[in-house]
Structures are given as C-alpha cells and as structure tokens.
Amino acid sequence: MRRTASPLSLVLLGLGTFLLVLAPLLAWYVEPRAAVNPIDIDTTAVYTGTGSVFDVEQVRTVPDQKITVTQRVRGDVAESERSGAAVWDVITSVDTEKSLPAADPHDALDFTPHRWVSDRRTNRPVHCCKEKPYIEGEAYLKFPFDVRERSYRWWDNTLGATVTLHYEGRKKIRGYEGMRFTATVPATRTGTRLVPGALVDEPGRPQVPAEEWYANHGLELVVDQATGRVLYAQTGPRRTLRAPGGTKDAAVLLDSRKLAFTAETQKFAVEQAERDSGLLRLVGRTLPIGTAVVGFVLAVTGAVLVVRGRRRPETSESPQDPITI
C-alpha cells in the first residue's frame, strides 16, 4: 500500500497557512495604517450657552446673553498630500443672537482663523505649511488614537499655550462610553490691545494699551478611546481687559460658566466615533482573530489529510499474454 496526498488536502493546507500569515499582518500592519488623521475632513462643531458679552454699541458688558461658538474644520487636501501631514484650516467664531445669522463671519463678536498641522499617526503638531499659530502639545481638536488613562497636554488656542487635562474616569454621551478629561485655566495675560482709556478706568487718556487676560472656569472633554474623537466638549471662558499694570479686571469682554456641544454636534460625533472605532476594531481585532482561527482549523485539517493520504493498493505490470499460433 502507498499513500498519496489529495488535491483537497493540499488546498486546505495552503489556504490555512496563508490565513495564519495574514492574521498578524492585519493587526500589526494594516490596522496602524488605518488609524490616521484624515486629510479631507469637513466638520462643524457648535457650542451654546449663556453669559456676559461686551456690547460695542452700548459700550458696556451685557449679562444673560445667549452665546454660540461655531468651529469649522476643513482639510487642505493638496497641502496635506504634498507634506504628508494632516493640514486642517480652522475657523472659530463667537456670536450672540444679534450677530446670528451672519452674512459675513467677520461680523461675529469674535472671529479667529488659524491652521493646525499634525502628524497623521501620532497626532503631534507638525510645524510646516504656513501653520499659524505655533501649536504645541499632544492634542487639539482631537486626541491621539488609542487614548490612555493619563493626563494629556491640550492646546488652548485662546490661551496660546497648552493646558494639562486630567483623566477623570468614564462618561456616557448619548449611550456611548467615552473617557472624561477636565482642567481649569487660572487668569493669565495673553496680550495687549489699544482701547479708549475710559474703558479701563483711565478716562484721562484717549487710548491705552490695555492688557488682555484669559481664564477658564472649567474645560471638560469626553473622548472616544479608539479614535480620539471628541464626543462632548464644554468650556467656561472668561476674557477681560485690565489697565496697564493693573491687578483687577476693568472690563469683561466675554464670561460664561458653560458653553457646550449642542445635541446635534454630540449626535454627529458619537455616530462618527461608532463607525470609525468599529472599522478599527474590525481590522485590528475581529478579522485577525477570525482569520487566525479559520486558518488554524484549515491548516490542521489539511495537514491531517496530507499525513493520512489516500490508500491505494500496490500494482505491478501484468505479464503479456502469450503469443499463440
């Protein structure tokens, strides 16, 4: 008797071996390359709340105003492809009911355009491509992929510096669990601006270089662990003016205890996080595990069939029939 391997056993063995090789490639090669900041982003986040704002027509601070902060982020695809980084243009506007809807965003109470450039994989700032301002830290607009239970340095564009966000546990947003981070910002001088002296209690001077000060009653961010996407954001900005060298606020430009993502912005953020984290989980965990299990089963089955083979009886040439006359 002799043994021969059937074509089916060889196919099973080869396919199983291929799947076993493919499984770690999906987890260690494909998944990290899928976890990158996009270059074609186009999203808008809206915060709303109430607070005090400075009314230039009345030349005084008006309390109990509805405040809307709109932050639009658009990717510069051409510049991103050229540089290899994620180049995002950001426009942030602050409005009251008086300036909404605005035909021109420059009519807003405050209008700030800037550009953020990041490494697509690590989320770290990249300093190129007409970046403005010089952004630092580990996170801005979003966190890195695979967020850890630790503190992160978050860029505060109003402050012009980083703020340390502390991990505070888990919190659900619209039924979806994220990681909660908080911080406060003490009153800090951020610059100067020329204003009428009377505005900062110096009526005898027509104009003075008043000091701009910024503080934050409380920052709260809830972040998707897999993608680093911000599911919920809350901020409590306070912007004031002081006389040169002064120790007290002379005029309040903006003061709100809480400006937070609207329900629509939260819903969009959660839907995007569920979709993107699901894709990363599929490529990084579900497919590799499933591929490895199927590959192992096929490889073992094919190997068993090859070893067992198909038994066939030994045959020998039969003698030729004798020639008869």
Side-chain angles (χ1 to χ4, degrees):
M1 302 289 288
R2 63 188 179 89
R3 303 176 187 271
T4 60
S6 68
L8 176 61
S9 64
L10 295 176
V11 169
L12 292 177
L13 179 60
L15 182 58
T17 303
F18 170 76
L19 292 178
L20 287 173
V21 173
L22 179 63
L25 286 178
L26 288 172
W28 300 334
Y29 184 83
V30 177
E31 193 269 345
R33 283 157 179 77
V36 294
N37 288 344
I39 62 176
D40 58 348
I41 187 172
D42 188 350
T43 63
T44 300
V46 180
Y47 303 67
T48 57
T50 59
S52 302
V53 298
F54 188 82
D55 191 311
V56 294
E57 295 179 357
Q58 301 182 49
V59 197
R60 69 183 183 91
T61 301
V62 182
D64 301 321
Q65 298 294 297
K66 182 178 179 181
I67 301 170
T68 300
V69 178
T70 305
Q71 186 178 67
R72 183 170 187 183
V73 183
R74 300 185 68 180
D76 187 330
V77 176
E79 193 68 44
S80 297
E81 291 177 340
R82 186 194 65 78
S83 65
V87 182
W88 294 357
D89 291 316
V90 188
I91 294 178
T92 305
S93 60
V94 182
D95 292 276
T96 61
E97 291 183 308
K98 184 182 293 185
S99 61
L100 282 177
D104 186 341
H106 294 82
D107 294 336
L109 183 68
D110 187 68
F111 175 80
T112 308
H114 58 284
R115 169 169 283 194
W116 181 47
V117 186
S118 68
D119 183 286
R120 297 188 65 195
R121 292 189 175 88
T122 67
N123 204 59
R124 295 274 184 167
V126 174
H127 305 296
C128 73
C129 317
K130 300 179 182 179
E131 169 211 21
K132 186 179 180 180
Y134 189 92
I135 293 175
E136 299 177 291
E138 301 170 280
Y140 176 54
L141 302 180
K142 71 179 294 293
F143 277 60
F145 292 88
D146 190 20
V147 183
R148 303 303 176 90
E149 295 180 354
R150 65 172 180 84
S151 297
Y152 282 84
R153 291 182 299 116
W154 174 270
W155 175 259
D156 186 321
N157 203 55
T158 304
L159 180 64
T162 59
V163 174
T164 300
L165 288 170
H166 302 284
Y167 175 67
E168 299 288 351
R170 306 277 173 156
K171 182 176 180 178
K172 287 188 176 182
I173 303 298
R174 302 182 69 87
Y176 186 82
E177 187 177 80
M179 304 173 69
R180 180 173 178 262
F181 295 86
T182 64
T184 58
V185 180
T188 306
R189 179 180 169 178
T190 58
T192 60
R193 103 168 39 175
L194 283 175
V195 300
L199 195 61
V200 289
D201 300 327
E202 294 193 8
R205 302 173 63 183
Q207 282 194 326
V208 296
E211 298 177 358
E212 294 183 283
W213 285 71
Y214 165 73
N216 202 300
H217 299 293
L219 284 165
E220 179 183 355
L221 299 173
V222 181
V223 184
D224 177 45
Q225 183 170 13
T227 64
R229 177 182 286 275
V230 176
L231 308 171
Y232 173 84
Q234 175 183 314
T235 181
R238 177 178 172 83
R239 298 173 59 186
T240 61
L241 294 177
R242 295 183 184 182
T247 57
K248 295 183 179 181
D249 295 332
V252 176
L253 302 178
L254 172 67
D255 188 18
S256 176
R257 303 290 301 189
K258 178 182 177 181
L259 299 173
F261 271 6
T262 62
E264 292 79 9
T265 297
Q266 293 177 46
K267 180 175 182 292
F268 177 79
V270 168
E271 288 174 349
Q272 295 298 303
E274 286 181 319
R275 183 199 67 182
D276 294 344
S277 62
L279 289 174
L280 290 177
R281 185 166 53 251
L282 178 67
V283 175
R285 186 184 308 169
T286 306
L287 279 180
I289 293 175
T291 300
V293 170
V294 174
F296 177 78
V297 171
L298 293 179
V300 169
T301 302
V304 170
L305 291 177
V306 168
V307 170
R308 291 180 59 186
R310 185 174 61 186
R311 296 188 176 186
R312 292 180 178 176
E314 294 286 349
T315 60
S316 59
E317 289 189 5
S318 57
Q320 293 182 351
D321 294 334
I323 298 174
T324 59
I325 301 176

